[in-house]
Amino acid sequence: MDINDAVSEERGTRLTQGLGLLADMGRDFADTRDIEGTLTRALTRITEYLDSEGGALFLLEDEGRILRCHASVGVIRIDGLTLPFDHGVVGNVVLTSQARIVRDVTSDPNFDNTVDNRTGFSTRSILCAPMSIKDECIGAIEVINKRGRDGRFEPADLALLEILCSSAAMALLNARLTASLVEQERVRREIELAAEIQRNLLPAALASDFPLFGLNIPARSVSGDFYDYFTLADGRIAWCLGDVSGKGINAALLMAKTASLYRCLGKTETSPRHLLARINDEICETATRGMFVTLVGGIYDPVADKVCFANAGHEPPLYHARDGSFREFEAAAPPLGILAVGDDTKMFPEIELSLKGGAFYVFTDGVTEGALASGEPLGAEGVRQALRDNAKLPLNDRIATIARLLDRDDGALHDDITLLGIDAARPAGTPSDEEQADLPFLYRFAARAELLQGARNAVRDYLTKKGAAENDANDVVLAIDEACQNVIRHAYCGMEAGDIVLEMALAGSHLIVDVRDFAPEIDDITLAPRKLDETRPGGLGTHFMREIMDEVAFLRPSDGIGNLLRMMKQIPVSPVVTKL
Amino acid sequence: MEHLIREDRGVLVISLTGDVDLESSPRARTVLLECVGQNRTVFVDMSAIAYIDSSGVASLVEAFQSARKGGNRFALVAVSEVALRVLQLARLDRIFPIHASLNDAFADDA
């Protein structure tokens, strides 16, 4: 083999090894979580590959002000060493983004011998290339003192180091990006958890006729607003609504603290001014700089229909009297968490108010300052108008309607929306007058004899509520019961019982009842009424139906399944007395 | 539905209480027919019937027919307003012997 062949073979081998090294590094970086370890492994292989005595990898840190050694191998161990970003050969390479060969450090003006002096190592030659992607340089790798031959690095070494460096830079950026995504995801999950815990701090929905109803719609996942209510041992209901200054996690944490204090202390301290004073001092004791809570807290007495409350720096609560007038209650005390008051319980004066069938609302400034679809803020007058417009809705629908004015599908919600209402006259879940008038009756049950009583009760309730006289209601109950019995005995006879669906509507004095089953079609001849001069049983039920109702007709259900019996009757109804 | 059977002055008095409907009328029928089967006068106290349907009425009809066949007296006593309305609808109010009270029923017997 002549010398030229040997050289070209060696070059070929080096090229293959170089590519192999590149590929290995790429793989290593791709599936590592341990970036430092991977960087050290990469540096070790580069240093070995370039046949050098040592190597070091520097990354820019502290917004590019310093270079820190993140990995070092071979004769120098300088992990953690920091240099000013423009210092030494490394600094020069990073600054210029140009790879460099320094064959003799003594003749290079950039060379800094501080490290040599500290380590006792003697640097002779340096090969250094920037780790850069596009125009961004994130650091550099240097290898020191070529072994063998004349101890000098060749341009080919530099070219290879440059390639390895840019590959390492790419891998490092990817790893950083992945790490930040993982971190973002972790934070997102934690905020999600925090939001769930927060939601659980709000009171659970109570019985539908409960006179209080609250709603909180956070603008972000966590909220600085809160409300609460709970029934005391004597039957009165403690309630509050508050707004923590600021937004985000810190506000959410103070919200959690205040809400917990209220719930805990509010069970024994039922005087709002004492309670607010105690919570105020608790918050002051561990105050986070500059944060405070505006809060209205009080007690509702459902027997007397009376509230007693204190307002600590919060948006004025609003009383909507039965005569349609409104009254505001400006805060007479500072927000909680600003100044400890000790025994001075006059700090949070109480207001007593008889609701007399009217409604009482507390809300956050997210409501008054919230933007309508037009971009205009809802404003205090807008809140009154909305309450006036929706006064006939049950409390929960009324509050949800106002929230919907602000929390639209366009996602323009900027602040948390929180509302709490007290209304014994139209509590949550009561149908409005309009709904009550149109509300159709729907009752579905399995066609079994023991379930007929429940169906009869439901039918009777509906008719009575709609103003039917007792005798008429009893008659209609009998007719419907007989129709259901026919279904049980004839339609589903001998089969596993399917369902019966009762639908009924009483509009004006016109009653329509549909009795639907899902059995095979039956022939209505089997349901012919008996002859009245016979006293034998059978057919009597159908007779009752025809006797009681004005019309009885078998119809084909529109979907062709089962049987539909329609009965109609004119019944006089007295005006419905609504609960006011 | 609940029922109570007692003997009063030689007569079996059956009191039916609550809803006599498709679910409970088979029991009412059994009770009525058993009493009638004893070949004695049977009064059915219907003052506490809250609801009665065609199956309940049919049980009364069957017991009444059975009593008549055996030559025994069978009467309805103190029929509640609700039950009376149903008997009227069935046009049975003039077929059953109906008495306003137990005393009236005994007086009629005398």
Side-chain angles (χ1 to χ4, degrees):
Chain A
M1 188 193 285
D2 77 19
I3 188 84
N4 285 334
D5 284 349
V7 168
S8 69
E9 189 181 309
E10 191 200 327
R11 280 193 182 144
T13 311
R14 287 196 64 178
L15 189 61
T16 315
Q17 285 174 345
L19 287 175
L21 177 56
L22 211 54
D24 286 352
M25 269 175 51
R27 264 196 302 277
D28 207 7
F29 274 114
D31 52 39
T32 186
R33 291 253 173 103
D34 170 23
I35 299 174
E36 302 274 313
T38 308
L39 288 175
T40 307
R41 276 197 298 283
L43 184 65
T44 308
R45 299 186 65 176
I46 290 169
T47 307
E48 279 169 8
Y49 182 74
L50 291 171
D51 198 17
S52 311
E53 290 179 6
L57 183 149
F58 287 86
L59 294 177
L60 278 170
E61 279 184 6
D62 201 11
E63 289 166 356
R65 282 194 288 269
I66 59 162
L67 281 162
R68 180 188 297 274
C69 176
H70 276 260
S72 60
V73 297
V75 288
I76 49 165
R77 286 307 171 108
I78 51 170
D79 286 47
L81 177 83
T82 56
L83 301 168
F85 75 98
D86 55 356
H87 213 69
V89 175
V90 181
N92 184 257
V93 164
V94 167
L95 209 57
T96 58
S97 268
Q98 291 286 323
R100 289 191 59 197
I101 298 179
V102 180
R103 290 195 164 141
D104 179 5
V105 295
T106 54
S107 62
D108 191 282
N110 290 115
F111 180 68
D112 177 3
N113 60 2
T114 327
V115 177
D116 276 9
N117 289 344
R118 206 186 296 165
T119 59
F121 180 72
S122 172
T123 305
R124 295 187 306 278
S125 57
I126 297 175
L127 189 63
C128 185
M131 292 169 70
S132 50
I133 288 172
K134 289 186 181 165
D135 297 332
E136 192 194 357
C137 182
I138 59 168
I141 295 176
E142 64 173 8
V143 290
I144 294 162
N145 293 359
K146 177 96 170 174
R147 287 198 185 95
R149 292 204 187 147
D150 56 359
R152 291 184 161 198
F153 290 109
E154 299 299 321
D157 295 333
L158 189 65
L160 187 68
L161 184 62
E162 276 191 277
I163 294 168
L164 293 172
C165 271
S166 54
S167 163
M170 176 76 81
L172 190 66
L173 276 183
N174 276 343
R176 279 179 179 176
L177 201 62
T178 309
S180 91
L181 283 176
V182 167
E183 176 65 9
Q184 269 176 31
E185 176 61 19
R186 191 185 63 77
V187 170
R188 195 190 63 73
R189 271 203 308 269
E190 289 198 350
I191 289 179
E192 199 83 339
L193 271 178
E196 193 188 323
I197 289 171
Q198 265 207 318
R199 281 193 295 275
N200 289 338
L201 288 174
L202 300 175
L206 292 168
S208 64
D209 58 349
F210 196 70
L212 277 79
F213 183 82
L215 188 67
N216 166 253
I217 303 173
R220 307 182 190 186
S221 37
V222 289
S223 175
D225 287 3
F226 66 99
Y227 68 89
D228 196 5
Y229 47 73
F230 48 91
T231 306
L232 300 168
D234 61 7
R236 292 184 303 161
I237 299 157
W239 53 266
C240 71
L241 181 142
D243 184 354
V244 176
S245 62
K247 289 190 180 65
I249 291 286
N250 48 356
L253 287 172
L254 186 53
M255 169 268 175
K257 174 178 175 162
T258 313
S260 307
L261 279 172
Y262 199 93
R263 190 161 257 261
C264 182
L265 299 175
K267 283 183 178 156
T268 47
E269 180 55 78
T270 58
S271 147
R273 72 191 158 95
H274 286 106
L275 178 57
L276 263 56
R278 279 195 68 185
I279 294 173
N280 174 64
D281 286 15
E282 286 286 342
I283 296 174
C284 282
E285 247 178 56
T286 51
T288 321
R289 53 200 160 117
M291 291 187 75
F292 56 87
V293 186
T294 67
L295 179 139
V296 181
I299 299 279
Y300 172 67
D301 180 345
V303 177
D305 196 20
K306 198 188 230 178
V307 284
C308 173
F309 63 95
N311 182 351
H314 195 80
E315 189 87 354
L318 201 56
Y319 170 55
H320 191 190
R322 283 286 299 281
D323 63 10
S325 66
F326 282 100
R327 194 174 149 198
E328 278 190 354
F329 298 88
E330 290 284 346
L336 306 177
I338 290 184
L339 189 71
V341 296
D343 294 332
D344 181 14
T345 54
K346 291 197 189 80
M347 190 63 144
F348 299 101
E350 286 174 0
I351 298 168
E352 278 203 46
L353 176 69
S354 259
L355 299 187
K356 296 176 180 149
F360 186 77
Y361 304 98
V362 198
F363 38 86
T364 53
D365 55 11
V367 175
T368 42
E369 290 165 15
L372 295 163
S374 63
E376 292 290 306
L378 179 59
E381 189 41 50
V383 172
R384 292 176 180 214
Q385 189 60 46
L387 290 172
R388 214 177 280 132
D389 292 347
N390 297 290
K392 287 191 168 176
L393 291 180
L395 184 59
N396 55 333
D397 291 345
R398 204 179 320 154
I399 282 178
T401 301
I402 291 165
R404 267 198 303 276
L405 290 174
L406 306 168
D407 182 30
R408 300 174 304 272
D409 294 335
D410 56 12
L413 193 61
H414 293 302
D415 198 1
D416 305 342
I417 298 176
T418 307
L419 295 121
L420 177 74
I422 305 177
D423 188 346
R426 284 179 204 276
T430 47
S432 65
D433 292 352
E434 291 78 10
E435 279 176 331
Q436 221 154 21
D438 302 334
L439 198 69
F441 173 91
L442 181 67
Y443 191 87
R444 185 177 183 128
F445 63 108
R448 296 209 307 266
E450 67 269 27
L451 299 179
L452 285 171
Q453 189 170 27
R456 289 199 300 270
N457 290 341
V459 169
R460 190 177 287 111
D461 277 359
Y462 172 78
L463 292 169
T464 310
K465 267 190 201 140
K466 300 285 285 186
E470 194 186 338
N471 289 343
D472 288 326
N474 284 340
D475 281 0
V476 173
V477 165
L478 179 63
I480 293 175
D481 188 44
E482 297 293 350
C484 295
Q485 289 188 36
N486 280 343
V487 172
I488 294 171
R489 293 203 288 199
H490 303 296
Y492 287 121
C493 71
M495 299 164 44
E496 194 181 332
D499 282 357
I500 294 176
V501 176
L502 294 179
E503 271 187 90
M504 181 162 52
L506 181 55
S509 60
H510 190 64
L511 175 73
I512 302 183
V513 183
D514 280 356
V515 181
R516 170 83 194 269
D517 66 61
F518 305 90
E521 201 180 335
I522 50 165
D523 181 355
D524 77 77
I525 293 166
T526 60
L527 298 179
R530 64 166 190 149
K531 291 194 186 75
L532 279 178
D533 53 355
E534 287 178 36
T535 51
R536 70 167 175 82
L540 185 58
T542 307
H543 164 73
F544 284 162
M545 288 152 57
R546 295 197 191 276
E547 186 73 12
I548 290 166
M549 307 302 284
D550 300 338
E551 280 177 64
V552 179
F554 284 91
L555 306 175
R556 277 202 70 71
S558 55
D559 56 8
I561 300 165
N563 302 283
L564 175 63
L565 178 75
R566 173 163 291 172
M567 301 188 285
M568 292 191 277
K569 184 179 173 66
Q570 290 293 125
I571 54 172
V573 287
S574 56
V576 176
V577 184
T578 48
K579 195 164 61 160
L580 278 177
Chain B
M1 184 206 76
E2 312 263 316
H3 74 272
L4 183 79
I5 305 166
R6 67 178 198 278
E7 219 180 303
D8 191 352
R9 287 164 263 181
V11 170
L12 283 177
V13 180
I14 306 165
S15 299
L16 298 178
T17 307
D19 288 15
V20 187
D21 67 355
L22 187 64
E23 190 205 1
S24 58
S25 61
R27 277 187 285 129
R29 177 178 175 272
T30 307
V31 170
L32 289 166
L33 290 178
E34 272 176 11
C35 289
V36 167
Q38 292 179 29
N39 257 330
R40 296 167 67 177
T41 296
V42 171
F43 293 165
V44 185
D45 181 345
M46 292 177 63
S47 59
I49 287 184
Y51 177 81
I52 185 163
D53 70 354
S54 61
S55 68
V57 172
S59 305
L60 291 172
V61 169
E62 201 181 343
F64 177 53
Q65 288 172 330
S66 170
R68 288 280 282 269
K69 218 175 275 173
N72 294 304
R73 192 175 167 216
F74 182 91
L76 308 183
V77 170
V79 179
S80 70
E81 204 183 321
V82 172
L84 188 62
R85 166 70 179 155
V86 179
L87 293 176
Q88 285 164 350
L89 282 171
R91 313 277 195 267
L92 290 169
D93 53 323
R94 277 179 228 152
I95 290 174
F96 282 117
I98 297 177
H99 301 283
S101 69
L102 209 53
N103 281 340
D104 283 2
F106 281 116
D108 195 55
D109 191 32

